[in-house]
């Protein structure tokens, strides 16, 4: 027969070690806020375990309310940490039902129905663990192997709490007067310790995974404009074949060197950001925007000469205030297209680049589409007034 007090002690020690580890990780990487939230949640559960051990020795009604409140609160905080990690911001959907259940539990326990209070709390914890498992199961833009293990551990822990509540329900133990002690409680203690230990280890893996994702995003993003960079273009499209319904539009800001020389680089940066904002405004599903470097930009899109022209016209209306007065800039563009038999990224980029230089030779402030017979469509100047 397992000693119940020993199980509680093991749970408290395990939780304390986990929370200390999480806090140490957070101190070295403060941006990983979900790690701090996990640590706080585990500390709340440690407090619950300590008070529950005390409650097994002295079944005080007020102590019972604290024990049940800390159990629900601890798993609520861990649920919020999961939402924080997965980028789910609707925290009220978890907080409001959990607080309502905690209030109901406190009310029935106050009137002496502590068994009902335990049943409500176990149901609340089961629901929170089920929500954690479901969120990690449904999320598809992270490493699925780690997420599925988190789902499994949350589900197993949730089932163990559900069994505790089921035993109370089947036996009709609405009033206990003492801490519940049955096979389900003992099983729950073992499963909870194992799952919390595993969850703590997986938190380290999730932190490492998030750091990798953020590092990759940083290396593939232009820090000034927020657009993807040339590396991202090669990463996303370097191995793809461009079919007849795909195209690349290249843009080069007209006389940008003169803008920097006359108005200064801070104004030049503002111009670059304004053009990036115009691209984002006219972007849509299936359109990826990149800053290739300097004043060169690219769009990967379906064949849409009119979109490139609209971007050019819209940018011509943008005014940047400077000490020398309002500054209005223009942009030249060139388009290269895929082919029925497929073309590589370098081939389409070369065609777009040739069309871009043709646009500059034709007087700038226009978008040129390179024809298949290599005769550029010089197109009219973009009207921005």
């Amino acid at each position: 027969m397992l000693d119940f007090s020993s199980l509680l002690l093991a749970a408290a020690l395990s939780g304390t070690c986990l929370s200390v580890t999480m806090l140490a990780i957070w101190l070295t990487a403060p941006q990983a806020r979900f790690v701090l939230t996990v640590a706080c949640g585990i500390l709340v559960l440690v407090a619950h375990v300590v008070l529950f051990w005390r409650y097994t020795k002295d079944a005080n009604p007020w102590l019972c309310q604290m024990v049940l409140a800390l159990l629900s609160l601890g798993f609520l905080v861990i649920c919020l940490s999961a939402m924080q990690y997965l980028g789910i911001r609707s925290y009220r959907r978890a907080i409001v039902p959990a607080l309502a259940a905690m209030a109901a539990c406190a009310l029935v326990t106050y009137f002496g129905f502590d068994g009902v209070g335990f049943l409500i709390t176990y149901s609340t914890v089961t629901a929170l663990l089920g929500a954690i498992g479901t969120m990690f199961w449904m999320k598809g833009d992270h490493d699925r192997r780690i997420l599925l293990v988190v789902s499994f551990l949350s589900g197993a822990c949730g089932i163990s709490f559900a069994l505790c509540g089921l035993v109370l329900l089947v036996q009709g133990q609405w009033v206990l007067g003492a801490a519940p002690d049955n096979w389900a409680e003992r099983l729950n203690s073992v499963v909870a310790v194992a799952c919390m230990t595993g969850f703590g280890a997986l938190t380290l893996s999730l932190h490492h995974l998030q750091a990798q994702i953020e590092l990759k995003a940083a290396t593939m993003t232009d820090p000034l404009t927020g657009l993807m960079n040339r590396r991202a273009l090669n990463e996303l499209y370097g191995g793809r074949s461009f079919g007849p319904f795909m195209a690349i539009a290249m843009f080069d800001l007209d006389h940008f060197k003169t803008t920097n020389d006359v108005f200064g680089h801070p104004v030049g940066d503002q111009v670059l950001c304004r053009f990036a904002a115009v691209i984002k405004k006219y972007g849509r599903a299936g359109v990826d925007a990149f800053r290739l470097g300097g004043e060169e930009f690219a769009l990967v899109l379906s064949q849409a000469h009119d979109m490139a022209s609209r971007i050019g016209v819209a940018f011509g209306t943008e005014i940047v205030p400077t000490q020398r007065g309002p500054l209005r800039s223009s942009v030249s563009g060139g388009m290269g297209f895929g082919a029925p038999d497929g073309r590589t990224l370098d081939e389409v980029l070369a065609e777009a680049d040739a069309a871009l230089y043709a646009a500059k030779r034709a007087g700038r402030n226009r978008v040129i589409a390179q024809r298949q017979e290599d005769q550029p469509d010089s197109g009219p100047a973009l009207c921005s007034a």
Side-chain angles (χ1 to χ4, degrees):
M1 180 71 69
L2 291 171
D3 181 68
F4 196 36
S5 296
S6 298
L7 290 175
L8 294 177
L9 177 61
L13 289 176
S14 175
T16 301
C17 293
L18 280 174
S19 60
V20 170
T21 303
M22 298 301 140
L23 287 173
I25 293 174
W26 175 73
L27 288 174
T28 61
Q31 71 277 9
R33 295 188 181 91
F34 84 98
V35 176
L36 175 62
T37 310
V38 172
C40 293
I42 293 177
L43 281 176
V44 173
L45 291 177
V46 168
H48 155 77
V49 171
V50 173
L51 290 181
F52 186 73
W53 173 81
R54 179 61 184 166
Y55 183 65
T56 61
K57 308 298 183 182
D58 178 19
N60 183 292
W62 293 104
L63 192 57
C64 177
Q65 292 195 20
M66 293 177 62
V67 165
L68 296 180
L70 287 175
L71 182 60
S72 295
L73 180 62
F75 280 103
L76 173 60
V77 174
I78 290 178
C79 181
L80 295 178
S81 74
M83 299 174 72
Q84 196 174 16
Y85 174 76
L86 295 173
I88 302 172
R89 302 303 179 193
S90 52
Y91 298 134
R92 291 182 59 184
R93 296 176 62 181
I95 293 175
V96 173
L99 292 181
M102 291 169 63
C105 174
L107 182 63
V108 297
T109 305
Y110 175 79
F111 286 106
F113 295 94
D114 54 343
V116 178
F118 274 96
L119 183 58
I120 293 174
T121 300
Y122 289 150
S123 300
T124 303
V125 172
T126 301
L128 290 170
L129 287 167
I132 293 172
T134 301
M135 287 187 293
F136 276 95
W137 182 276
M138 298 294 292
K139 201 68 174 179
D141 54 352
H142 293 66
D143 191 320
R144 295 293 297 165
R145 293 168 295 179
I146 298 177
L147 300 192
L148 292 179
V149 175
V150 174
S151 294
F152 171 78
L153 291 178
S154 300
C157 194
I159 290 173
S160 70
F161 277 102
L163 289 174
C164 292
L166 184 61
V167 169
L168 295 178
L169 183 63
V170 170
Q171 295 180 356
Q173 295 180 303
W174 315 127
V175 179
L176 295 174
D181 186 7
N182 51 59
W183 66 269
E185 293 287 341
R186 296 174 184 274
L187 175 64
N188 172 257
S189 298
V190 175
V191 172
V193 170
C195 289
M196 287 297 102
T197 303
F199 186 75
L202 286 172
T203 300
L204 301 179
S205 298
L206 291 172
H207 168 62
H208 179 65
L209 176 61
Q210 186 181 55
Q212 285 185 319
I213 293 172
E214 291 175 352
L215 178 62
K216 184 176 182 180
T219 59
M220 296 179 67
T221 303
D222 174 54
L224 177 63
T225 63
L227 299 178
M228 290 182 283
N229 57 22
R230 184 182 289 273
R231 178 175 180 176
L233 175 63
N234 291 324
E235 187 86 15
L236 294 175
Y237 292 98
R240 291 187 59 176
S241 176
F242 282 69
F245 299 105
M246 293 185 67
I248 291 180
M250 288 187 65
F251 297 95
D252 189 284
L253 302 189
D254 296 331
H255 307 293
F256 186 70
K257 184 178 183 304
T258 302
T259 299
N260 278 333
D261 292 342
V262 174
F263 297 95
H265 289 278
V267 172
D269 289 345
Q270 290 186 52
V271 173
L272 292 172
C273 291
R274 288 291 183 93
F275 183 66
V278 170
I279 289 180
K280 293 174 185 177
K281 179 180 177 181
Y282 281 84
R284 61 168 187 252
V287 177
D288 289 326
F290 307 85
R291 182 188 176 195
L292 302 183
E295 66 271 29
E296 285 193 336
F297 296 80
L299 286 180
V300 178
L301 65 170
S302 301
Q303 292 190 22
H305 183 277
D306 59 332
M307 174 182 286
S309 298
R310 290 200 303 271
I311 289 174
V313 171
F315 179 62
T317 66
E318 294 288 323
I319 297 176
V320 176
T322 73
Q323 293 181 348
R324 292 173 172 266
L327 170 64
R328 177 177 289 179
S329 304
S330 63
V331 64
S332 300
M335 296 192 64
F337 299 93
D341 55 348
R343 305 182 74 189
T344 66
L345 171 64
D346 289 340
E347 289 174 335
V348 181
L349 273 176
E351 182 179 277
D353 192 53
L356 172 60
Y357 279 95
K360 287 182 173 292
R361 289 193 301 270
R364 304 178 188 270
N365 191 28
R366 67 194 67 221
V367 174
I368 288 181
Q370 196 79 8
R371 299 297 189 185
Q372 290 298 319
E373 61 272 14
D374 294 330
Q375 296 299 319
D377 170 19
S378 59
L382 299 175
C383 297
S384 55

